[in-house]
């Protein structure tokens, strides 16, 4: 029986005036940027960055994005995003996200993104690339 | 036995240079704007606009958004988005979207958004507001 | 004595809900997109597009942008942008813009952008590239 | 003989993947967000925030924005923005900005923005509002 190691990162969100809409709440599209910030933070922490993948000869385009809005963030709210790597045997990168409103203590959003791997000829990879398996091993999740 | 009437609208998409990322494809977040444009086009065609809802005393914030990326759009591709109203008995506005790449003939994206109704005190409505039922009747889908 | 020929293009602006800020007016940064749309429209009309320049072996990055906000555009206002090519002997592309609020008849914004030419090694060109001189001749402004 | 006190703030810029265009450099419109971030940082440091002004009964819309692009920022470059308050007797808020590329040591951009004051009826103020004069005094620049 094993307790599974979870790879996760956190990042504080600074809400920009321009990210708020005329109802004084963060525009629903702005959250896509927060998810991207979270993937950046995860990539920095665990060395799985766009450029690193690119150097290994791979692109990892997003093929699926699901956002569930729970409570609206407002301008001046402090918030943080938590990103977790979902360990899967499929040739995919799946991340789960939670955004917390630190001002109110409420859960603001949950989300999931799925990326696939393309080689430099833009051909889809059907099996997990070696460098990802190595990366998993290095991080103790395989 | 009835054939169901489908309310749908279409809009051509003009891809901006700034919507393309460093891989020369449309950035995944830009599609959120295209969905918004489609809802606008639908609202104009069927008189279900933000301001109209607001005058009736309701907000309709987005609570769920799902995007499935099929093939990437590139700068200079011609594209169109099709938006369809999903007729539901729930107190929700659900739209389904398809984006077609007119240059290649490929399906570029499918998506679904769900909105709920709030009154002017930001309280969630658990039953369909009257003005929506009237709007459905007017458009022959109730 | 000559009347000078003016190269200019026009484009209608559709104001997106997401381009409006919490004061219900178009966010000042959104106008940068309208200017880009105008350059696109100009490029299409007079065959001076990014890709065309790129094929000729040149980039034309923006080095200067000035915006003067006159009256705010609101969500639902109809607006159009007029872009004019400023004919200069310098190795630059200079465009002047005017945005009109068609709903109120007011001038909403004036702006100017300046682009320079880089070759494919990203070296600045100090004299006007030949293909620009040819383009000017073709359009009767040289 | 007096040395003038300068009010200034700094903020590190994190360049998002989505802020980079297909030439791999930061899209010129993204800098508008960095300027906004800088005004936020200045407002926080010197207590001159949008909400504070709003509580005092004033809006401060941007009426002029000038950007001079010196060298392009690239994805992964570290950068910082410096914002300085330009002390003027006019009924205006003028800020000067400099963005430095910390990775290369180069100056990336200089910019200036000008804001005016409106009262809650959206009428332009021709003289400096009292709360701004008090704010200047409090900060030793009047």
């Amino acid at each position: 029986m094993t307790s599974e190691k979870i790879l996760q990162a956190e990042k504080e969100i600074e809400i920009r005036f321009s990210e708020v809409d005329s109802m004084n709440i963060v525009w629903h599209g702005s959250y896509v940027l927060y998810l991207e910030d979270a993937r950046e933070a995860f990539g920095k922490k665990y060395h799985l960055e766009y450029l690193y993948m690119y150097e290994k000869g791979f692109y990892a385009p997003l093929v699926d994005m699901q956002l569930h809005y729970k409570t609206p963030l407002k301008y001046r709210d402090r918030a943080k995003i938590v990103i977790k790597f979902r360990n899967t045997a499929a040739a995919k990168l799946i991340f789960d996200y939670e955004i917390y409103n630190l001002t109110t203590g409420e859960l603001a959003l949950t989300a999931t993104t799925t990326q696939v791997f393309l080689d430099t000829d833009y051909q889809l990879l059907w099996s997990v690339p070696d460098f990802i398996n190595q990366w998993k091993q290095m991080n103790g999740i395989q």
Side-chain angles (χ1 to χ4, degrees), chain A:
Chain A
M1 208 150 164
T2 59
S3 68
E4 180 150 14
K5 191 179 168 191
I6 304 283
L7 304 189
Q8 75 172 66
E10 296 193 3
K11 189 174 193 313
E12 197 159 332
I13 294 170
E14 289 188 63
I15 297 167
R16 283 166 161 160
F17 180 71
S18 59
E19 291 167 349
V20 170
D21 69 17
S22 65
M23 289 187 287
N24 264 308
I25 58 175
V26 171
W27 178 61
H28 65 270
S30 301
Y31 292 85
V32 177
L33 288 172
Y34 304 156
L35 303 188
E36 187 167 40
D37 288 346
R39 285 196 302 281
E40 280 287 317
F42 185 93
K44 260 188 204 167
K45 183 172 175 187
Y46 294 106
H47 305 291
L48 189 72
E49 288 146 312
Y50 279 104
L51 282 188
Y52 174 76
M53 289 196 271
Y54 184 74
E55 279 160 20
K56 292 291 178 186
F58 298 99
Y59 297 105
L62 217 141
V63 294
D64 198 278
M65 180 166 59
Q66 311 211 356
L67 301 105
H68 312 287
Y69 301 86
K70 303 299 185 184
T71 57
L73 288 175
K74 298 200 185 66
Y75 182 57
R76 312 257 49 154
D77 282 344
R78 289 177 49 245
K80 77 165 178 187
I81 183 162
V82 180
I83 177 173
K84 288 178 188 167
F85 180 79
R86 196 192 290 182
N87 202 351
T88 170
K92 291 177 176 175
L93 281 181
I94 305 180
F95 290 106
D96 295 300
Y97 309 79
E98 287 168 342
I99 295 180
Y100 294 95
N101 185 330
L102 299 177
T103 303
T104 66
E106 293 174 310
L107 179 63
L109 177 121
T110 65
T112 301
T113 59
T114 304
Q115 292 164 271
V116 293
F117 299 102
L118 303 184
D119 63 22
T120 44
D121 295 329
Y122 296 97
Q123 293 305 303
L124 181 68
L125 273 81
W126 294 96
S127 57
V128 181
D130 286 346
F131 85 97
I132 288 290
N133 283 325
Q134 287 156 14
W135 174 85
K136 284 187 182 181
Q137 243 167 347
M138 224 162 58
N139 285 287
I141 59 170
Q142 194 177 55

